[in-house]
Amino acid sequence: MLNFLKNADFKIKNYDIQLNLQEQDELVSKNSDIAIVSIVQCNIQYSHFQKNLAEKLLNTNELHKYESFGSEKRKYHYIMGRIAAKNAFMQLTTQLTKEQNPQKICITNTQEGYPVIENDMDYAVSISHSGNYAAAIVFRKNTSFFINDMSSCGIDLEYINSEKIRALKKISLQNEPIEHNVNSLTIAWCLKESLGKALLCGLNNDLETFRIKRYLQKNDKCTYQAEYTYHQQYIGIAKIINTDTENNIVCAITHNFK
């Protein structure tokens, strides 16, 4: 765990990829040796971030990247994403290695911008952030469940905001099983973004590629599951977080784990 973050400024929750239908805010640890999700909420504004936090979390290469950003907001999101990713990595590998130094975990980016765990190629990571939240999923790239194929996963995070409804409607396709309200459209957006990350293409392909075939509400606690028309090996999972406040946020994960 990132012990230096144990204070009122940060809230960190760790989940597995499987949805627990009994508890409102938990994901059951069914395959916790395959993937771990970490969601971080920061209670301080980016303008109040201190450099010593970056120095405790980042290694030399990451710190150079962090310092290259001209925007304090961009630095904030970079730090938040690394907190989530490194925390998830440490949770997933804790059974193999004891307490780790987060500075020894180096997360770089490909030319296309996708994050990579540089010093451990057995694992992969997907990162997302929105507002004062960040989320990351770290997963094994190859396990006994995957003999002829590699595991793949993407994560996306987005606040539910009615002011964005026009933009959300732009990625909605005709005859998709999606209601045209802000909750459903935000969930669909996140599911498609997470699929694009799993495929390492973003939403740059023809939107038809990301068509949602089936979209089910799993229970009364804002948990959803989706299937895709053209990528049937993938399953999408979405959850609305903070359902008891006005600041609802959607976290969606798309994976091909068996």
Side-chain angles (χ1 to χ4, degrees):
M1 289 290 291
L2 302 176
N3 292 321
F4 59 88
L5 295 177
K6 288 184 177 178
N7 56 55
D9 293 340
F10 295 91
K11 292 181 181 178
I12 302 178
K13 290 186 178 181
N14 298 301
Y15 307 107
D16 190 11
I17 57 151
Q18 300 294 327
L19 293 177
N20 183 337
L21 303 184
Q22 275 69 53
E23 298 185 32
Q24 182 170 354
D25 268 336
E26 297 301 325
L27 303 177
V28 66
S29 297
K30 186 175 181 180
N31 287 322
S32 56
D33 61 331
I34 296 176
I36 289 288
V37 178
S38 184
I39 297 179
V40 180
Q41 180 184 8
C42 182
N43 296 321
I44 54 177
Q45 296 181 353
Y46 60 84
S47 58
H48 297 154
F49 251 9
Q50 300 296 316
K51 185 180 178 181
N52 63 354
L53 174 61
E55 291 173 343
K56 290 178 180 179
L57 179 74
L58 306 177
N59 63 30
T60 302
N61 291 338
E62 291 173 321
L63 193 58
H64 286 325
K65 181 74 172 178
Y66 168 82
E67 291 175 340
S68 72
F69 297 126
S71 163
E72 292 299 317
K73 188 174 182 178
R74 182 68 185 88
K75 289 181 178 180
Y76 175 87
H77 285 150
Y78 184 84
I79 284 283
M80 290 284 288
R82 263 51 186 180
I83 290 172
K86 295 191 178 193
N87 190 67
F89 180 83
M90 292 166 70
Q91 290 294 315
L92 184 60
T93 60
T94 185
Q95 59 187 354
L96 303 176
T97 56
K98 294 183 179 180
E99 181 75 18
Q100 299 180 42
N101 179 351
Q103 292 177 317
K104 293 183 178 180
I105 305 167
C106 182
I107 301 175
T108 59
N109 292 86
T110 66
Q111 288 185 342
E112 295 77 19
Y114 296 105
V116 176
I117 302 174
E118 188 174 78
N119 48 342
D120 198 324
M121 300 309 292
D122 291 332
Y123 297 90
V125 61
S126 181
I127 300 173
S128 184
H129 46 71
S130 184
N132 64 330
Y133 276 85
I137 183 165
V138 173
F139 56 96
R140 290 178 182 268
K141 291 199 290 187
N142 199 359
T143 73
S144 59
F145 293 94
F146 295 88
I147 299 174
N148 299 316
D149 200 4
M150 298 287 284
S151 57
S152 182
C153 185
I155 194 168
D156 195 61
L157 201 65
E158 188 71 36
Y159 271 103
I160 296 175
N161 184 347
S162 58
E163 294 181 1
K164 296 181 179 179
I165 196 164
R166 180 177 295 181
L168 295 172
K169 286 181 177 179
K170 289 182 179 179
I171 68 163
S172 179
L173 300 172
Q174 190 174 8
N175 299 323
E176 272 190 317
I178 306 298
E179 296 179 14
H180 277 210
N181 59 64
V182 67
N183 281 22
S184 293
L185 289 168
T186 304
I187 291 167
W189 175 289
C190 287
L191 286 167
K192 292 179 182 185
E193 284 275 12
S194 64
L195 175 60
K197 291 181 180 181
L199 297 173
L200 298 180
C201 66
L203 288 182
N204 296 321
N205 290 359
D206 186 340
L207 286 177
E208 181 66 26
T209 302
F210 308 100
R211 177 177 288 276
I212 294 174
K213 177 182 178 181
R214 188 173 301 169
Y215 172 78
L216 302 172
Q217 184 170 350
K218 299 294 288 184
N219 58 15
D220 60 351
K221 295 176 179 176
C222 300
T223 297
Y224 301 82
Q225 183 170 309
E227 298 174 9
Y228 303 99
T229 301
Y230 302 105
H231 300 283
Q232 298 180 17
Q233 72 273 36
Y234 286 92
I235 293 292
I237 297 170
K239 189 173 185 68
I240 299 178
I241 302 170
N242 283 357
T243 55
D244 58 341
T245 74
E246 294 181 356
N247 296 315
N248 295 349
I249 191 166
V250 174
C251 181
I253 300 161
T254 294
H255 66 85
N256 65 348
F257 306 151
K258 305 296 182 183

